[in-house]
Amino acid sequence: MTTHLSQSAVWNGPLGAHWAAFPERYEALIDSYDEALFEAAAIRPTDRVLDVGCGPGSTARRAARIATRGRVLGVDISAPMLERARSELLPNLWYEQGDAQTHPFTPGAFDVLISRGGVMFFEDHRAAFAHLAEALAPGARIAFICPQPVDPQSAESQVFGRLAELRPPVPDPVAAAAHRAMASISRPERLREVLVDFDKIDIRPVHAASVYGSSPEDAVDFFLSRGPRTDVSAEVRAAMAEVFTPYAGPLGVRLPTSVWLVSGVRV
């Protein structure tokens, strides 16, 4: 019998603690999508912004620097990541811990909702987006990024498949629960199913690069630090570095990646 691991358990355990300890490393994986996300959100100086799954707070801080006469609320289920986020406060920015699917938002309190990869982790996406719609004013804008379906031919799939061959992964229920959630709304038809409270839905691919390290060896160190064990031989470590080498350059180890950028308007 498989035990269902809640997302609260996932993000308040070792995985959330790792994100909180190394936010700059995780930023390097996803911050290349920020320009597209914020262009789609079109935040104005007076806007009230809700950042869903704000993590250590990078996107919430950026939103607060734009909405200088508005306010920004960052919500996340992870206590370790919110503790890190609160280390860099701004006057018009605050954070609350909670599951955005059920968090007691004031109805109509926000003009914009953003999320950089935080909306995949709901237990019930249809209910979650309906609840979030109630927190938005009529005509409010939403913009978020989420994964596309896994492409076995992509650079990421090829690289991490080879790494798994070199060091077979240890069974990890936390990682498994996170990976299942990541794929939960990757199909465009599924996204449209859960966004019925929104209009003018636009789903388009965005391509960028995820930086896994400053060098192949550094990328291996980071990759190993994310798992439940790091005990690999020097020979295996060197072979893993070779997997990253074709993607290494002056700007680090950069793997081409793609996500969906989803935008719409509250009905």
Side-chain angles (χ1 to χ4, degrees), residues 41-55:
I43 297 171
R44 299 167 296 199
T46 57
D47 277 337
R48 304 163 297 168
V49 183
L50 174 61
D51 187 349
V52 175
C54 64

Side-chain angles (χ1 to χ4, degrees), residues 57-88:
S58 172
T59 48
R61 288 189 293 272
R62 177 166 177 168
R65 293 186 182 104
I66 299 171
T68 52
R69 290 178 282 131
R71 53 189 174 84
V72 178
L73 171 62
V75 174
D76 204 287
I77 205 168
S78 173
M81 286 201 273
L82 285 179
E83 182 178 359
R84 185 62 183 251
R86 290 184 176 117
S87 68
E88 300 180 57

Side-chain angles (χ1 to χ4, degrees), residues 3 48 70 75 78 81 83 89 91 93 98 112 118 150 181 220 227 245 259 264:
T3 300
R48 304 163 297 168
V75 174
S78 173
M81 286 201 273
E83 182 178 359
L89 292 176
L93 168 62
V112 185
V150 173
V220 171
T245 296
V259 299

